Amino acid sequence: MALKIVKGSIDRMFDKNLQDLVRGIRNHKEDEAKYISTCIDEIKQELKQDNIAVKANAVCKLTYLQMLGYDVSWAAFNIVEVMSSSKFTYKRIGYLAASQCFHEGTDVIMLTTNQIRKDLSSPNQYDTGVALTGLSCFVTPDLARDLANDIMTLMSHTKPYIRKKAVLIMYKVFLKYPESLRPAFPRLKEKLEDPDPGVQSAAVNVICELARRNPKNYLSLAPLFFKLMTSSTNNWVLIKIIKLFGALTPLEPRLGKKLIEPLTNLIHSSPSTSAMSLLYECVNTVIAVLISLSSGMPNHSASIQLCVQKLRILIEDSDQNLKYLGLLAMSKILKTHPKSVQSHKDLILQCLDDKDESIRLRALDLLYGMVSKKNLMEIVKKLMLHVDKAEGTTYRDELLTKIIDICSQSNFQYITNFEWYISILVELTRLEGTRHGHLIASQMLDVAIRVKAIRGFAVAQMATLLDNAHLLTGNTQRNGICEVLYAAAWICGEFSEHLEDPMQTLEAMLRPKVATLPGHIQAVYVQNAAKLFATVLRKHDGETESQAAQETSQLLIDRLPLFVQSANLEVQERASCILQLVKYIQKLQQKNVEVAEEVTALFAGELNPVAPKAQKKVPIPEGLDLDAWINEPPSGSESEDEKPKAVFAKEEPKHSRSRHTEVDEKELARRREVRKQEQASNPFYIKASPSSQKVYDAPGVEHIPVVQIDLSVPLKVPGMPMSDQYLKLEEERRQKEKAERKKKEKKKKREKRGKERKADSGPESEEDITPAHQVDIVTEEMPENALPSDDDDKDPNDPHKALDIDLDKPLADSDKLPVRTHRPEVLKSPAEDRDGESVPQETKKKSGKEKKKDKEKDRKRSKEEKKKKKKPKEVEEELLESQPEEAVQSEETKEAAAPPTSTSAEASDLDFWLSSAPVPPAAQEVTAPSSSAAAVDTSSAAAPESEPDEPKDTEPEDTKSSKHKKKKQKKEKEEKEKKKKKRHHHHHQHHGDAGGEDSVQNGTVEEEEPLPPMSNYSLLAENSYIKMMKEDADQVYDIQGNHQDESKVVVSVIFENKSDSFLKAMEFNVLDSLNSKLQRPEGAGAHDSLTVPFQLPPGVSNEARFVFSVQSIVMPQKLKGTLTFIVKSDESSTHEKLDFKLHFTCTSYLITTPCYSDAYAKLLESGDLKGSSLRLEGINMPFHHLLARICFHHHFSVVERIDSCASMYSRSIQGHHVCLLVKTSDQTVSIDAKCDEPSLLGNVLDEIKQTFSKC
Amino acid sequence: MIKAILIFNNHGKPRMSKFYEHYTEDTEQQIIRETFHLVSKRDENICNFLEGGLLIGGSDNKLIYRHYATLYFVFCVDSSESELGILDLIQVFVETLDKCFENVCELDLIFHVDKVHNILAEMVMGGMVLETNMSEIITQVEAQGKMEKSEAGIAGAPARAVSAVKNMNLPEMPKNINIGDISIKVPNLPSFK
């Protein structure tokens, strides 16, 4: 045995190793392929040996050959063998080979699962490392599923080397097995704060990569990333985070505000301390931030300007890389702030002359966005100059496409003179060797069809082109410029009524040389010759025995036979049809029959442009099911067995039939195969072409010998206008217009001196430029009642789509990674689950710096958590909705009942974090009106988007600036809306009603499935001027510290202006009771009123909030109040007042607080609670609606639900526990309740009763 | 994400190729050829970024390359990577090679492509950057090298001797084709710490 090993190793010495192989290949330069094939034979021999060392050596050589392009997949099994060697040296070779040549289609991959699992848990960290590295290259969905749990364990390995690899590979696992994302995410998040910078960097990498595709799911991580950004010194991590923020800011503008300062700090410190790459990414993200903030914030235009200035410095740098990146970043600004970039036009035009093509292309991109009506002609002129100068067709073609892009962008928005544009297009046809003839042609068609006013001119130009067609065909047979003739012929034919001399054009179109054009163009020629023929006939209509008409017929009869002989089917068919038609017409003409009208009728009707997505948007008519069978599918398919019909069919015949059809299917498949082969070899069988381009691929045209005309002098097509002349004309015209306008203005001025004059905009502004001639751009046709969908652009195959998973939702029992286990799994209680998930992240949040504030913050957070309590309820509602009622299993209920507090906690964390951002005062002022404008838009009576659960601001000191608050709320709402489209929908419907008279909502909603919409805004008071809506005072919180016995309640009131006048100086006052007092600013007297911090234009509504302090909460309260305001109309202003009563129910002192069943049980056991009960008769609603209603209106949360029985919990702001046990049977609902404060309980039960009595 | 990392010489001969997405061998060769074609016709003093070729993924992708004497190092990346960051990374890669091979030259890459792969594996994993700290990379590479040596043990020694003899017996073995100064630093781009 030992001898065998020694012998083996001696043999091995003389085996060829990798170095020998490389050396050998280098020594056999002449017959490399032959040498390698002998080597491969040797390798095959080596792979057959038992010695693993020999095999490893062979595999190593194969890896090298693979790089040279040799397929080595035949050795896949040997690679797996080498991978499973116990020696690290060989294992590494095996994994390297696998990573180079394994892929999803490699079937031996499934053999590796256990081996990889073994390696992952190897005590040697490098075994694990090598396995992870290899796996990252060839992970398949199966491997990902089977190994996800193992890898997740490795994420908490003791060695950072393993941790970072495990973290990184999770991204690949997520891609292949999206179900793993949710269960693995908490741990991944933990790794963001790993002590090892490498692991941290890996986690940042993975999350950035995930967030790039679905940024909205990762917004809640923003605070964490922000902390990393301010603390990390690793440039790579910083760059990644900064890039990530760039993706997040568009979703959350408040984030941008918070970012701007640290980013600018980084920019300022960058040039001296760290890498340019970081500086650049900072500038980039600042740009993204500014873009997201830009709407209506004038003070940011200065910062944009600053960025642009910095970029200009980059562009002017001698380092080409910086120049390139500067241009790249510039193009980002361009999208939103074209004006600030436009001022650097000089610099960008200069870059067009750069020797570096990458830079030239970037500069071209920029030009695209810089054009305006004013400078379009000038810029295009410059580009045309570059076209002339450009060497190399690629760049010139790029220029050409850019010119067309620039001109045609946003529906020809910037073109004032279409004659000019047509001339440019015609000039472009003179480019030799361009490959974009098709593009030019489609532009010509587009303009001619859609701009009616230009048709006359276009037709004239196209006629000249046709006339000079020999230039095109002669020069550019192979290069596609002849495509232009396709457009020219069609335009001349279709709009032939504009032709001056149709006869001449007809003649030009039927020249023998046309036969050298590609088939599809010839076909158009033939068809349009017929159209022209019709035009000629009509022209000579009425002239009896018209010589001209007969000559035309004769011309066609003479020339068409050439096309009839065409090899192209399309041409042939059209030509012979038309030839026969013309012959017939000629006969009629000879008999002096009037034919013009009939012939014209052949081509009657105008073709309208159709929008590119029109087809997709045709709505499916009602009752049409495209998936349904029109006829029953042929019998014999397997699905037959599943059909209910089969129940009635007898066993035996079915069997025999299915056997019979099986044969049939085989037979069918065979026949199909035969038929396919037949078709393949049959030249006359037209196969489905994969792309429309194929149509233009005229077979055989390339082989037609064509005499190349070599012209060194650029040709001037006679009669073609130069586009330059338009430039001059345009300038003159503008000058004239300007002068005229000035004259007019002066006149006006003289006439009306006193009147305010419009501010003179100095230089010409965009609007001043009127198009040369009025063109109506025909809009594209869309099918009737087209569906307004914009989601057509999404790629359904994007693997990242599957990763669009809400990560904030807490883990459910179903969210688990598959684990190999012998024992049945022990189900974790939801409480445990939650702890495992949220505790670490919460503790992590507290870092050294924040420790001082920790207590305070904790308190705030818990407060917020309470406040956000409604959100879990919402989730629950959804769950309830979605649950099929009959299949309510206790486990599911548990899941539903486990109140997902981490969601709300997280969301509120984010809000809290963002709200503490310093807000520039100017910004406030600007956004406040814009938010009210938004309110106008939605035009519904109640606060348009207010959801009952809208999160409130919790900072007590914040009450002074309600504008500020308002804005935040708005954003939160928007955010929410995105998340909860379904609910949102309900609410929209609902608020539509709310505008009506019946706006007392609490409980008045009618019954419907699924869960009816609910609102807790109720009418407070209303008169002819104003309507006040009060939100249930549920945003309650107790103040911390010294006011233990006092609680605060925030009441949101929506003021809606119902009149046509302006309402201002609104003052809100309430008569305080002993128990409840309105909080007034310091120094104000006990009876002073509060000024409402806004005014209301007609029809607008806005929301204000008032804080009340309440001492005892066990009784409901009523407060009388008055609102005074001034109604200001054009003529007069009057003082008005409106009385109202504020009702504080006991319910409003309850906070939805989650409670776990174990805690709940303990609470009930403790015996501190006093009981009471309530019976409700005739409740006719599903149980889950009932629960949802109690949750919603009375701020309870479901602890547990089993069938028709549920336990619920809530807590008052002063810490009273309220427990309910709700049972239902036959329209009777019994509620057993327990609370440590009997009077509170009594009142709450009364209120519940009231809620249900209303419905 | 990094889509591919290619090293080829001035004549387009591949010295190392690593694709993080699967392509057939033929496509891989085509990509290398196409990339070489794009990169080689560019002057020395123009920017190091290129809009990607046709074969390797669409408009989102960029080629970021550096040219050191006889070798081109090309990274094909998508928009999530920072352009300058990748340039720095190439520099780190080359400097690491330089340290691990002790004055690296093209021949080192030719004969030890497996080692180059192993070094790269410590920097980039599955298309994502794993480590940018050079000393950390070198530590891990050396630790693995040691393990390999200890595994070879006694059996390894004769093999090495034979290999040395083989080298001696080959007069045509090109000894000193140095690729020149591989660690040219591009100004303005201080590397990662």
Side-chain angles (χ1 to χ4, degrees), chain A residues 1103-1116:
Chain A
E1103 186 178 14
R1105 294 203 267 169
F1106 305 94
V1107 184
F1108 290 83
S1109 57
V1110 181
Q1111 274 175 354
S1112 162
I1113 60 158
V1114 297
M1115 299 285 278

Side-chain angles (χ1 to χ4, degrees), chain A residues 627 629 631-647 649 654 657-658 661-662 665:
Chain A
D627 294 327
W629 290 102
N631 296 314
E632 278 301 297
S635 61
S637 64
E638 284 167 7
S639 63
E640 179 88 8
D641 295 0
E642 292 153 21
K643 279 186 185 160
K645 237 195 201 167
V647 177
K654 207 183 84 194
R657 200 174 63 184
S658 70
T661 48
E662 227 176 73
E665 275 212 312

Side-chain angles (χ1 to χ4, degrees), chain A residues 22 25-26 32 36 63-70 100, chain B residues 5-19 25-26 28-36 70-74 106-113 116-117:
Chain A
V22 174
I25 293 174
R26 287 167 69 83
E32 193 182 289
I36 289 178
T63 314
Y64 182 79
L65 293 180
Q66 195 271 344
M67 182 184 79
L68 297 184
Y70 290 86
Q100 290 295 86
Chain B
I5 296 172
L6 308 173
I7 305 176
F8 44 74
N9 72 358
N10 285 349
H11 307 289
K13 285 247 179 207
R15 293 306 177 211
M16 193 218 63
S17 66
K18 179 90 208 163
F19 291 87
E25 275 76 15
D26 286 345
E28 286 185 4
Q29 293 304 308
Q30 243 174 308
I31 291 172
I32 295 174
R33 272 197 301 276
E34 189 190 71
T35 313
F36 170 71
T70 59
L71 290 176
Y72 284 97
F73 288 73
V74 186
E106 191 181 344
L107 277 180
D108 291 319
L109 303 199
I110 294 171
F111 286 106
H112 301 282
V113 66
V116 180
H117 270 296

Side-chain angles (χ1 to χ4, degrees), chain A residues 888-891 893-894 897 1183 1187 1198-1207 1222-1224:
Chain A
V888 188
Q889 284 165 5
S890 63
E891 202 174 298
T893 336
K894 238 186 217 168
F1183 190 53
L1187 292 184
V1198 177
V1199 179
E1200 208 165 348
R1201 177 186 162 187
I1202 297 159
D1203 297 332
S1204 58
C1205 180
S1207 50
V1222 186
K1223 288 181 200 160
T1224 182

